[in-house]
Amino acid sequence: MYHCQLNIHILNELNEKTFWESALEKLIVPEGLSVRVRVLAQTDGDILKDSDILIIDLEEFDSRQIQSWLKKDARLILCGNAGQIAQLQETLGHRYDEVWARPFEREFATARTQRILEQIKTEKELWITRNYLDTTIDSIPDLVWFKDIRGAHLKVNDAFCEAVGKTKEDVQGRGHYYIWDLEPEDYAKGEYVCLETEEEVLRRKETCLFDERVKSKNGLRQFKTYKSPVFGQDGQVLGTVGIAHDVTDLENVATELEIVLQSMPFAILVKNSEGIIINTNHKFTEYFGMPAEEIAGMDFEQWKEQLLKDITEQEKDGYMETAIQVDGQERILEIHKEPIYDIFSDLVGELCICREVTGERMMEQQILHNAHTDFMTGLNNRRYFYEYMAENRGDQEISMIYVDMDGFKQVNDTYGHKAGDEALILTARLMEKCFPQDFITRLGGDEFLITILGPCQASVLRKKALALQEEMLRAFRASEQLKQLSASIGIAQSSDPEAEIDTVLRESDMALYRAKQLGRGRCCVYGDDF
């Protein structure tokens, strides 16, 4: 995660360059580090100011000048005999790291330098770990703190300092009552902090969740607090770490929301981010027969599975519909979900609004029925015929039976439109009886169309069409006003999925025209009877 180059400089006016180079070339450089070794016969400030490790192996040197050149964190090693070292120590005071007494072997220089490199690596890893930790906790909007076993704060994040109005330096090492500006007697009473929570975490030795109230510079605050024990290498608890999420605003909103919920004309359910139901209103109880205290704590998905089995997803995102029984009557509810976010834009729950749309759906169904249906006969109309075929035909074979009543105009002229209407309605019922599974359309006037999707032999179609003719004749002859009516029928088929609907319709009309030419009251199949 990091890389650092270290400059090792050796000041040696003696002819021992080979000694030092051979000693240091045997170094095993730790991962993340690289070294550059230079042996200098005389001091050079431009070079020494970049030293990370400076080894002085000189009989005489200007200690003050060298100290002025060295970086703050540079390692300084002194080499020499006992007399030289004593003099150097007196001159430098404590501004050196190690003393290597002459004489020593190459292996000694290698081993000691190796150890210094390991120390530098450890220090850099410690620094970067601390930096990672500080950056991480300061990026968290929640309050984060670490305490020792006595309850003193060892480390806190920026959000914590913002909440208490103090700096990190001021907080470090201090206890709770000082940090939160509580009097010791208030702290001891535990009026605004839960003293038992720390003890519980230390006793249970596991992460615990608490609801805590704390007096802050912004007044009384409500927190959801997670506290965990921190263990040492021996398994003993060293202290605790805590993360507190400020839910004060959400709690205040919840109070206001409760008033709004109970006054709403819709059934409303509130669930938390885990999908657990936490609240409902009076209208909800009216619809579903479950009071708030009974449904609270239930898993929303389980409740939905038990009571809302017939939920239909709508095209618009977030909307569902279901039918329920209320006082023995079916009611249709539209259920809409709205997410609930906290002050940090974190999802903390969901609001489910159940609005009764029974009347609306009945009106929609009626409007749709009227738009698709012939008012007189109740059959499908011409417009819906094209819509239905576009949605359902696909690659299926299609057969059409075109029916036209013979003598219908004469009945209208002789007995009036009431008799004509009676004939149309009677014909529609007979068609539904003879073709219960097929799509029947009133094209207009006294013209009807029976459409069959799927394989069907022409001989079968003719047989069924003739049976319809017989039924119509029998019914017409039973009425004095309608006994002169008969029906001409034209049949057309196509197994070509590319064939246009209007093409098949025109062919069935041509077959019908052929039936009328042959004397009416007949049935002709397009192609066979031409």
Side-chain angles (χ1 to χ4, degrees):
M1 295 296 293
Y2 69 92
H3 180 79
C4 181
Q5 177 174 301
L6 301 179
N7 293 312
I8 302 178
H9 296 146
I10 301 100
L11 289 178
N12 179 255
E13 62 188 6
L14 305 175
N15 190 19
E16 293 185 342
K17 181 176 182 180
T18 303
F19 169 86
W20 284 105
E21 288 179 345
S22 62
L24 298 186
E25 72 180 3
K26 297 180 180 180
L27 290 173
I28 301 175
V29 181
E31 184 180 1
L33 301 179
S34 60
V35 297
R36 181 184 180 188
V37 179
R38 297 183 68 177
V39 181
L40 307 173
Q42 58 185 4
T43 58
D44 185 334
D46 291 336
I47 296 177
L48 296 184
K49 68 181 180 180
D50 292 328
S51 297
D52 295 290
I53 301 174
L54 176 59
I55 302 173
I56 300 179
D57 190 12
L58 300 173
E59 292 186 0
E60 294 182 0
F61 64 92
D62 188 340
S63 60
R64 291 185 178 180
Q65 188 178 51
I66 287 181
Q67 288 186 73
S68 67
W69 286 333
L70 286 181
K71 294 190 294 186
K72 182 179 180 181
D73 58 347
R75 301 294 205 285
L76 179 59
I77 295 95
L78 305 179
C79 303
N81 56 42
Q84 291 173 324
I85 290 174
Q87 183 180 358
L88 290 173
Q89 288 176 325
E90 183 179 351
T91 304
L92 291 171
H94 296 288
R95 183 59 180 93
Y96 61 90
D97 296 277
E98 292 193 19
V99 174
W100 298 353
R102 284 286 191 181
F104 52 80
E105 301 296 331
R106 288 184 178 87
E107 289 75 11
F108 174 84
T110 302
R112 297 302 297 178
T113 308
Q114 181 74 47
R115 184 173 181 180
I116 293 173
L117 291 179
E118 295 293 344
Q119 291 174 349
I120 292 175
K121 175 178 174 61
T122 300
E123 291 173 4
K124 290 193 175 295
E125 288 182 342
L126 177 60
W127 180 89
I128 199 167
T129 299
R130 286 176 176 170
N131 190 42
Y132 285 162
L133 176 61
D134 290 339
T135 302
T136 299
I137 66 175
D138 285 337
S139 301
I140 297 174
D142 297 331
L143 279 63
V144 181
W145 65 89
F146 295 85
K147 291 183 183 180
D148 63 18
I149 197 71
R150 298 174 295 113
H153 290 70
L154 304 178
K155 183 182 286 291
V156 298
N157 68 343
D158 290 341
F160 188 99
C161 294
E162 174 66 23
V164 301
K166 293 180 174 63
T167 65
K168 292 181 179 180
E169 292 74 17
D170 197 19
V171 168
Q172 185 173 344
R174 305 306 294 265
H176 202 111
Y177 68 90
Y178 168 80
I179 292 173
W180 293 96
D181 296 323
L182 292 174
E183 295 298 328
E185 53 269 22
D186 291 335
Y187 178 68
K189 289 187 297 185
E191 183 177 357
Y192 300 112
V193 293
C194 186
L195 298 179
E196 293 79 12
T197 58
E198 295 286 341
E199 297 177 1
E200 183 175 347
V201 172
L202 296 175
R203 183 180 69 255
R204 293 172 57 179
K205 296 184 179 180
E206 64 183 15
T207 300
C208 302
L209 173 63
F210 305 100
D211 290 306
E212 295 183 324
R213 291 189 302 162
V214 178
K215 259 187 176 179
S216 74
K217 68 172 186 175
N218 298 318
L220 190 64
R221 309 300 294 177
Q222 181 76 29
F223 290 99
K224 287 283 187 184
T225 305
Y226 292 87
K227 295 184 178 181
S228 303
V230 178
F231 298 96
Q233 289 182 324
D234 58 359
Q236 297 299 313
V237 178
L238 301 178
T240 59
V241 57
I243 302 176
H245 184 56
D246 191 340
V247 295
T248 308
D249 294 336
L250 185 60
E251 293 293 332
N252 291 338
V253 170
T255 302
E256 299 172 1
L257 179 62
E258 183 68 23
I259 299 173
V260 175
L261 287 182
Q262 301 306 330
S263 61
M264 291 293 286
F266 313 126
I268 296 178
L269 175 148
V270 184
K271 61 176 180 173
N272 63 19
S273 58
E274 286 76 37
I276 303 301
I277 300 171
I278 59 175
N279 201 1
T280 56
N281 67 347
H282 299 317
K283 201 68 175 178
F284 186 92
T285 302
E286 175 188 330
Y287 284 162
F288 300 101
M290 299 182 71
E293 57 272 15
E294 182 179 334
I295 194 173
M298 291 183 62
D299 182 87
F300 176 77
E301 293 300 326
Q302 291 180 355
W303 171 79
K304 189 174 76 170
E305 181 69 22
Q306 291 174 7
L307 297 182
L308 306 180
K309 298 179 181 178
D310 299 324
I311 287 185
T312 303
E313 295 286 349
Q314 299 299 297
E315 292 183 4
K316 193 174 182 180
D317 292 341
Y319 284 87
M320 301 179 294
E321 279 195 8
T322 187
I324 62 172
Q325 292 291 326
V326 179
D327 298 330
Q329 296 183 344
E330 183 178 86
R331 296 190 185 183
I332 301 174
L333 299 182
E334 179 186 76
I335 303 175
H336 176 55
K337 297 179 181 179
E338 282 290 343
I340 302 173
Y341 298 98
D342 65 7
I343 192 173
F344 306 113
S345 299
D346 294 328
L347 182 67
V348 294
E350 201 167 44
L351 192 70
C352 297
I353 304 171
C354 306
R355 184 174 70 90
E356 184 176 353
V357 292
T358 309
E360 295 177 25
R361 296 299 174 262
M362 291 178 63
M363 183 65 70
E364 290 173 1
Q365 291 177 4
Q366 186 61 49
I367 292 173
L368 189 62
H369 180 268
N370 291 343
H372 291 169
T373 305
D374 172 60
F375 176 76
M376 173 67 65
T377 63
L379 298 178
N380 302 299
N381 59 23
R382 178 186 286 269
R383 187 182 70 176
Y384 185 49
F385 162 76
Y386 285 103
E387 290 181 15
Y388 182 86
M389 290 301 127
E391 294 176 0
N392 296 276
R393 179 189 176 187
D395 295 333
Q396 299 181 83
E397 181 178 332
I398 186 169
S399 304
M400 293 186 183
I401 301 175
Y402 204 132
V403 181
D404 180 85
M405 284 192 287
D406 304 321
F408 180 74
K409 183 177 183 305
Q410 185 178 356
V411 169
N412 266 337
D413 293 342
T414 304
Y415 300 105
H417 289 289
K418 185 177 180 180
D421 293 346
E422 179 184 342
L424 294 174
I425 295 171
L426 177 59
T427 300
R429 300 295 80 80
L430 292 175
M431 288 182 174
E432 291 173 335
K433 175 184 175 182
C434 295
F435 296 87
Q437 305 300 323
D438 301 313
F439 193 85
I440 306 173
T441 307
R442 182 190 177 196
L443 297 175
D446 61 341
E447 296 180 346
F448 298 85
L449 184 69
I450 302 166
T451 307
I452 302 169
L453 295 177
C456 189
Q457 294 181 358
S459 59
V460 175
L461 283 177
R462 183 191 290 272
K463 184 177 180 180
K464 294 180 71 173
L466 292 175
L468 173 63
Q469 278 183 322
E470 290 298 323
E471 289 282 349
M472 293 175 68
L473 282 175
R474 189 178 301 110
F476 292 155
R477 288 169 183 167
S479 171
E480 183 64 29
Q481 294 179 338
L482 307 180
K483 63 182 181 180
Q484 57 186 308
L485 290 175
S486 63
S488 294
I489 296 177
I491 300 173
Q493 289 183 290
S494 177
S495 58
D496 181 6
E498 301 297 327
E500 296 288 341
I501 291 293
D502 283 336
T503 300
V504 184
L505 181 61
R506 184 171 60 254
E507 290 173 350
S508 64
D509 187 26
M510 292 172 64
L512 172 67
Y513 182 74
R514 179 61 175 167
K516 286 185 175 292
Q517 283 183 325
L518 295 176
R520 302 187 179 183
R522 296 177 179 272
C523 176
C524 291
V525 178
Y526 180 81
D528 292 350
D529 299 310
F530 285 71

